C-alpha cells in the first residue's frame, strides 16, 4: 500500500530549452518539484511561462536537456522513446484543452483506444470502457460521435479515455479553457472526484482561479520557477 | 504481439475512416495507379493473346524435327541419314502405299523489296517435296497452280505477295543468280506460311548448292500422343541429336520471342508511368500524414508506438494503390479483353489475334500497383512514425 505522502512526481534540477533557428530559449533552468501521490495540483502562470512544456515533460512526450524526472519511482528521463510510449500507455492519462478525440470514432471507440495497448480481450475492454464512461456520466452516449456531442461531453469522453487504463497520474492542460462556467464546473467536479475517490494524482494547468479552487493546492510558475500558494480546501 | 496488431488495426481503421476528408486527392492517386495498370495490362494482354493465337494455329498431330538446340529452322541442319532414320521412326502415319507421311525440307532466305518502305528484307524460301503442303493445315492454291517438280518454279504465300514487290503471278524473280517464275499464289490457315515462298526441294538444293542438306523434317503423327514415341526413339539413337516437338509447341516457342518483344515495350512504358503515379502517391500520402498530424500525435501521447502509425500510413497507401490496380484491371477488361488486333510479328506475317487477359497478367498488373503503393507510402509513413509529438499536438 502506498500512503498519500509517497512521492508521485519528483523533478530535480530540470533544464529545458527550445532552439528556434539560431536562437535558444531557456524555459527551465534548475527547476525542482515534488508532488505526493493522490495530490491535485493546479499549475498557474502567465502565458508562455512553460506550463504546457512542464506537462509534456511529466507525460514523457517531450524530453529535458538536464536534470531528473521521476514518476512513481521511474526515472522517465532515462527511458528510450519506445519505452516511453509503453510507459505512457499504463502510467499517465492526458486531457487536452481541445479534447483531441478521433472524429471518426464513437465515444466508446475513443475511450477504448488506450486499452488496445493492453492485454485485455474484447469483452474486458468493453466493460472497462463502459465503466469509464459511467464515471464521467456518459453511459448513454456510447455510440455517439464527437460532433454529436457538446464541448463538455467531448471533454468527459476525453477524461474517460484518460482514466480507462487506470493510470495513477492525470495531466490536464487547460481542460476547461474552452468551456463555459457551468460546464467547466462539471468537468472540474469529475476531476475532483477522480482525485478524492479514485486516488488519482492530478496536475492541471489552468489560468482560471475558479478552476484552481477545485485543486488541493496551486503552484504559480513564473520565470521558470514555482511559487506555492495554499488554497482553501 | 496481439497488442501491436490491435494498434496497427486501430490506426489503419482511423486512417481509412478519415479518407473521405481527403477524397479528391486520394481518388487522383487511385486513378493514376489505375492508368498505369491499364497500360501495362493492355500490352501484356496483347502479348498473351498473340502467343495463344499463334500457338493455337499449330497442329498437335504434326511433328516438327530440328537439330537439337537449334530452336528455329534457319539454324537447323538435318542430314540425309537422319531424315531416313526419322522416316523409319514410330508413330508416323502412313500413306495408302505404305510410305510415311513426312516432308524433309530446306529453308533458306532470299532478298525482297518491301512495297511500303522500299527497303530490303529477308524472305524465307522453302524447298519441299510433294507431301509438304499436305502436312500443313488449310493450304489452298488461290491463283495459278502448284510448281512442277524439277522446274525453276515457285509458289508464293498470299501475305508475302501482298507486301513485297515482284511476286505477282507470272513474274520472274532472281535469287542467288538463278531465275524463278511465280506460277501460283497460296493461302494457309497458319499465317506464318503465307509469308513464305515455296519451291521444289531437289531444284532448290542443287541451285543453292545444298544437295543432301535439310533443315527440318515434318511428319504426320498417327495421333497427337505419338509424339512421345517418336521423341524417345530419337533420343535413344545417338545418331539423332534432334529436337522433336509438335507444330503447336514449335509455334508457341516461336511466338514467345514476339510476345517477349511486346512485353519489353509494355513494361518500360508502364514503369515510366508508374514513376509519375508514384509522385502522385507520395504527394497524397504526405498530405494525409499532414492532415492526420494531430490525430497521430494524440495516439502517440496515449502510448501508441511509432510503428503502428508507420504501418497505418503504409496500409492506407497500399489500399489506395490496390483500388487503382483493380480499377485499371477492370477497365482493361471492359475495354480490351477480346479486342481484335493484327500485327506483322517476327516470322508470322499478318497475324490476327485477340487481346487476352489472364490471371497471371492481371497478377502482374496488381503487383505493379502494390509496388507504387509501397514506395509511395514508405517515406510518408516514416515521417508519420518519426513525427515529434509535441509540435504536432499543438499545431
Ligand atoms: N516546440 C517548441 N519549439 C519552440 N519553442 C517552443 C515550443 N513549445 C513551446 N515553446 C516556447 O516555450 C515557451 C513556453 O511554452 P508553453 O509551455 O506552451 O507555455 P504555456 O503553456 O505556459 O503558455 C513559449 O515561449 C513557447 O513559445
Ligand atoms: Mg499552454
Amino acid at each position: 500500500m502506498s500512503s498519500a505522502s509517497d512521492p508521485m512526481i519528483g523533478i530535480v534540477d530540470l533544464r529545458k530549452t527550445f532552439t528556434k533557428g539560431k536562437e535558444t530559449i531557456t524555459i527551465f533552468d534548475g527547476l525542482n518539484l515534488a508532488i505526493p501521490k493522490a495530490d491535485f495540483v493546479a499549475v498557474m502562470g502567465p502565458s508562455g511561462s512553460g506550463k504546457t512544456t512542464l506537462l509534456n515533460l511529466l507525460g514523457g512526450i517531450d524530453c529535458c536537456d538536464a536534470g531528473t524526472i521521476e514518476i512513481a519511482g521511474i526515472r522517465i528521463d532515462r527511458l528510450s522513446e519506445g519505452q516511453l510510449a509503453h510507459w505512457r500507455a499504463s502510467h499517465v492519462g492526458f486531457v487536452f484543452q481541445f479534447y483531441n478525440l478521433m472524429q471518426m470514432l464513437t465515444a466508446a471507440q475513443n475511450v477504448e483506444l488506450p486499452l488496445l495497448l493492453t492485454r485485455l480481450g474484447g469483452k474486458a475492454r468493453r466493460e472497462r470502457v463502459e465503466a469509464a464512461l459511467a464515471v464521467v456520466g456518459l453511459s448513454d452516449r456510447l455510440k455517439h460521435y464527437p460532433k454529436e456531442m457538446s464541448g463538455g461531453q467531448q471533454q468527459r469522453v476525453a477524461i474517460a479515455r484518460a482514466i480507462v487504463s487506470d493510470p495513477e497520474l492525470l495531466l490536464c492542460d487547460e481542460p476547461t479553457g474552452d468551456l463555459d462556467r457551468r460546464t467547466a464546473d462539471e468537468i472540474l467536479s469529475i476531476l475532483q472526484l477522480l482525485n478524492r475517490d479514485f486516488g488519482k494524482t492530478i496536475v492541471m494547468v489552468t489560468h482560471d482561479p475558479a478552476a484552481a479552487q477545485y485543486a488541493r493546492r496551486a503552484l504559480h510558475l513564473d520565470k521558470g520557477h514555482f511559487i506555492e500558494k495554499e488554497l482553501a480546501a | 504481439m496481439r497488442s501491436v496488431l490491435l494498434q496497427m488495426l486501430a490506426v489503419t481503421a482511423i486512417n481509412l475512416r478519415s479518407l473521405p476528408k481527403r477524397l479528391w486527392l486520394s481518388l487522383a492517386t487511385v486513378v493514376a495507379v489505375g492508368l498505369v495498370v491499364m497500360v501495362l495490362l493492355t500490352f501484356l494482354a496483347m502479348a498473351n493473346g498473340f502467343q495463344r493465337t499463334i500457338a493455337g494455329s499449330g497442329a498437335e498431330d504434326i511433328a516438327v524435327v530440328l537439330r537439337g538446340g537449334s530452336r528455329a529452322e534457319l539454324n537447323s541442319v538435318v542430314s540425309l541419314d537422319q531424315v531416313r532414320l526419322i522416316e523409319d521412326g514410330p508413330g508416323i502415319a502412313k500413306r495408302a502405299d505404305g510410305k510415311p507421311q513426312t516432308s524433309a525440307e530446306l529453308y533458306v532466305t532470299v532478298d525482297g523489296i518491301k512495297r511500303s518502305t522500299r527497303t530490303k528484307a529477308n524472305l524465307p524460301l522453302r524447298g519441299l517435296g510433294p507431301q509438304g503442303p499436305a502436312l500443313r493445315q488449310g493450304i489452298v492454291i488461290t491463283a495459278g497452280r502448284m510448281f512442277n517438280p524439277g522446274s525453276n518454279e515457285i509458289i508464293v504465300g498470299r501475305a508475302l505477295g501482298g507486301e513485297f514487290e515482284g511476286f505477282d503471278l507470272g513474274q520472274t524473280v532472281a535469287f542467288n543468280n538463278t531465275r524463278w517464275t511465280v506460277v501460283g499464289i497460296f493461302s494457309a490457315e497458319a499465317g506464318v506460311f503465307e509469308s513464305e515462298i515455296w519451291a521444289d526441294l531437289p531444284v532448290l538444293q542443287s541451285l543453292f548448292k545444298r544437295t543432301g542438306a535439310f533443315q527440318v523434317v515434318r511428319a504426320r503423327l498417327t495421333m497427337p500422343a505419338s509424339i512421345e514415341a517418336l521423341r524417345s526413339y530419337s533420343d535413344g539413337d545417338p545418331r539423332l541429336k534432334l529436337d522433336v516437338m509438335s507444330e503447336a509447341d514449335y509455334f508457341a516457342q516461336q511466338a514467345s520471342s514476339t510476345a517477349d518483344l511486346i512485353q519489353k515495350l509494355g513494361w518500360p512504358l508502364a514503369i515510366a508511368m508508374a514513376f509519375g503515379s508514384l509522385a502522385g502517391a507520395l504527394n497524397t500520402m504526405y498530405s494525409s500524414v499532414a492532415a492526420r498530424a494531430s490525430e497521430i500525435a494524440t495516439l502517440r501521447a496515449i502510448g501508441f508506438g511509432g510503428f503502428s502509425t508507420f504501418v497505418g500510413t503504409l496500409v492506407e497507401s497500399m489500399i489506395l494503390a490496390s483500388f487503382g490496380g483493380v480499377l485499371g484491371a477492370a477497365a482493361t477488361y471492359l475495354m480490351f479483353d477480346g479486342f481484335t488486333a493484327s500485327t506483322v510479328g517476327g516470322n508470322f506475317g499478318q497475324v490476327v489475334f485477340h487481346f487476352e487477359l489472364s490471371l497471371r497478367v492481371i497478377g502482374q498488373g496488381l503487383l505493379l500497383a502494390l509496388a507504387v503503393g509501397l514506395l509511395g507510402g514508405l517515406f510518408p509513413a516514416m515521417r508519420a512514425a518519426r513525427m515529434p509529438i509535441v509540435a504536432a499536438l499543438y499545431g
Side-chain angles (χ1 to χ4, degrees):
Chain A
M1 271 307 287
S2 60
S3 90
S5 58
D6 285 342
M8 170 58 83
I9 296 171
I11 288 180
V12 179
D13 229 4
L14 184 77
R15 182 177 159 76
K16 174 68 185 172
T17 60
F18 284 113
T19 328
K20 240 183 205 160
K22 285 177 190 162
E23 226 179 311
T24 300
I25 30 175
T26 304
I27 311 294
F28 305 121
D29 195 2
L31 184 79
N32 295 291
L33 175 66
I35 294 177
K37 277 192 174 143
D39 202 355
F40 184 174
V41 179
V43 176
M44 306 186 72
S47 181
S49 57
K51 306 182 294 295
T52 296
T53 304
L54 177 69
L55 282 196
N56 292 341
L57 289 166
L58 290 176
I61 57 175
D62 201 353
C63 43
C64 56
D65 301 83
T68 63
I69 305 174
E70 192 170 315
I71 311 274
I74 299 169
R75 280 284 301 275
I76 65 163
D77 57 291
R78 283 185 178 163
L79 299 181
S80 71
E81 211 181 300
Q83 289 171 321
L84 273 176
H86 254 282
W87 175 82
R88 286 195 296 271
S90 48
H91 291 85
V92 59
F94 287 94
V95 178
F96 305 99
Q97 178 175 359
F98 300 107
Y99 333 127
N100 288 36
L101 299 176
M102 307 290 142
Q103 294 302 311
M104 63 299 279
L105 299 184
T106 62
Q109 287 168 335
N110 267 288
V111 175
E112 191 188 13
L113 286 172
L115 297 181
L116 300 179
L117 308 172
T118 66
R119 293 173 180 280
L120 294 175
K123 187 162 172 283
R125 291 203 302 270
R126 219 163 18 251
E127 285 167 6
R128 296 277 287 266
V129 167
E130 283 167 16
L133 280 167
V135 169
V136 298
L138 283 182
S139 290
D140 52 344
R141 296 294 156 102
L142 262 58
K143 299 219 163 120
H144 287 231
Y145 286 90
K147 63 172 180 290
E148 301 164 347
M149 288 184 278
S150 69
Q153 287 170 329
Q154 290 188 55
Q155 193 61 299
R156 285 197 266 165
V157 173
I159 292 172
R161 181 179 67 186
I163 61 171
V164 74
S165 56
D166 203 22
E168 55 268 58
L169 178 62
L170 294 185
L171 302 173
C172 313
D173 196 352
E174 312 209 22
T176 57
D178 205 41
L179 302 173
D180 59 51
R181 182 76 265 148
R182 250 195 58 156
T183 316
D185 285 336
E186 283 168 22
I187 295 297
L188 291 160
S189 303
I190 291 171
L191 291 179
Q192 205 167 43
L193 170 100
L194 289 172
N195 173 249
R196 281 208 184 129
D197 298 359
F198 293 82
K200 303 288 175 204
T201 309
I202 302 178
V203 180
M204 173 180 75
V205 166
T206 181
H207 43 227
D208 174 11
Q213 289 294 326
Y214 285 82
R216 290 178 193 267
R217 60 192 176 115
L219 295 173
H220 285 259
L221 196 54
D222 201 7
K223 301 193 177 79
H225 292 279
F226 282 118
I227 315 154
E228 187 157 352
K229 288 184 185 171
E230 282 300 327
L231 288 158
Chain B
M1 189 56 226
R2 203 176 62 112
S3 159
V4 174
L5 207 69
L6 279 177
Q7 281 185 58
M8 294 188 310
L9 280 176
V11 175
T12 306
I14 290 168
N15 287 5
L16 295 183
R17 284 191 209 190
S18 66
L19 257 183
K21 284 190 198 160
R22 307 184 291 280
L23 185 66
W24 292 110
L25 206 53
S26 303
L27 272 184
T29 303
V30 168
V31 169
V33 173
L35 283 174
V36 170
V37 169
M38 222 177 115
V39 166
L40 180 67
L41 290 192
T42 303
F43 273 94
L44 294 185
M46 199 193 295
N48 187 42
F50 179 78
Q51 187 152 13
R52 304 250 324 196
T53 304
I54 296 289
S57 68
E60 295 284 355
D61 66 345
I62 297 287
V64 174
V65 181
L66 300 172
R67 185 183 69 187
S70 56
R71 291 187 63 85
E73 286 179 88
L74 202 56
N75 311 321
S76 172
V77 182
V78 183
S79 71
L80 185 58
D81 294 340
Q82 289 174 325
V83 171
R84 296 274 181 267
L85 285 166
I86 286 294
E87 284 171 349
D88 290 341
I92 296 175
K94 302 283 192 285
R95 294 191 309 195
D97 63 6
K99 284 189 175 167
Q101 294 188 37
T102 59
S103 171
E105 302 173 358
L106 181 65
Y107 183 95
V108 298
T109 57
V110 293
D111 289 343
I113 303 287
K114 213 170 169 131
R115 287 186 204 273
S116 56
T117 56
R118 310 211 49 79
T119 50
K120 246 195 209 174
N122 284 331
L123 304 180
L125 171 56
R126 185 184 295 277
L128 35 59
Q131 296 203 76
L135 290 176
R136 291 170 166 84
Q137 289 176 315
I139 301 293
V140 177
I141 304 284
T142 56
R145 57 171 174 82
M146 184 61 185
F147 55 75
N148 281 326
S151 65
N152 286 23
E153 292 177 349
I154 52 174
I155 60 173
V156 174
R158 194 167 51 181
L160 181 139
E163 226 176 304
F164 290 87
E165 277 182 4
F167 294 104
D168 295 332
L169 202 59
Q171 281 188 298
T172 309
V173 288
F175 300 141
N176 215 15
N177 298 322
T178 57
R179 304 196 69 77
W180 304 74
T181 308
V182 180
V183 298
I185 307 289
F186 68 92
S187 67
E189 217 164 87
V192 48
F193 296 121
E194 281 200 16
S195 299
E196 292 186 355
I197 305 163
W198 289 355
D200 186 38
L201 174 68
V203 176
L204 191 64
Q205 280 176 325
S206 82
L207 290 181
F208 276 67
K209 305 197 170 48
R210 301 278 298 274
T211 308
F214 305 87
Q215 268 144 313
V216 61
V217 183
R218 291 185 152 252
R220 178 170 307 282
L221 299 164
T222 50
M223 54 179 174
S226 302
I227 190 88
E228 297 303 337
L230 188 59
R231 183 179 293 132
S232 47
Y233 163 79
S234 166
D235 290 350
D237 189 330
R239 291 166 294 179
L240 297 177
K241 292 198 163 54
L242 301 173
D243 284 340
V244 177
M245 61 200 123
S246 71
E247 187 187 47
D249 286 348
Y250 177 64
F251 280 4
Q253 179 205 303
Q254 297 296 298
S256 68
S257 65
T258 302
D260 274 358
L261 182 71
I262 299 175
Q263 290 200 19
K264 278 176 188 147
L265 291 174
W267 272 106
L269 187 64
I271 285 175
M273 285 182 63
F275 274 103
S277 73
L278 181 60
L282 278 169
N283 179 33
T284 302
M285 293 318 297
Y286 274 128
S287 312
S288 161
V289 171
R292 291 183 290 113
S294 149
E295 281 164 18
I296 292 173
T298 304
L299 288 171
R300 299 279 282 121
I302 288 173
F304 278 65
F307 186 65
S308 61
T309 57
F310 174 85
V311 172
T313 306
L314 203 57
V315 168
E316 178 183 336
S317 171
M318 303 278 277
I319 284 179
L320 289 181
S322 336
F323 268 118
V326 169
L327 193 79
T332 316
Y333 179 80
L334 292 177
M335 287 170 71
F336 287 120
D337 193 51
F339 179 81
T340 301
S342 68
T343 183
V344 182
N347 318 325
F348 298 100
Q350 194 82 5
V351 178
V352 174
F353 64 96
H354 300 288
F355 284 49
E356 206 172 309
L357 280 171
S358 66
L359 281 182
R360 209 182 103 89
V361 162
I362 290 174
Q364 287 176 319
L366 293 183
L367 228 55
L368 181 64
L370 284 179
V372 170
L374 185 71
L375 289 178
L378 195 60
F379 294 101
M382 272 155 61
R383 177 178 290 182
R386 291 180 183 160
M387 188 146 56
I389 302 172
V390 170
L393 260 183
Y394 304 101

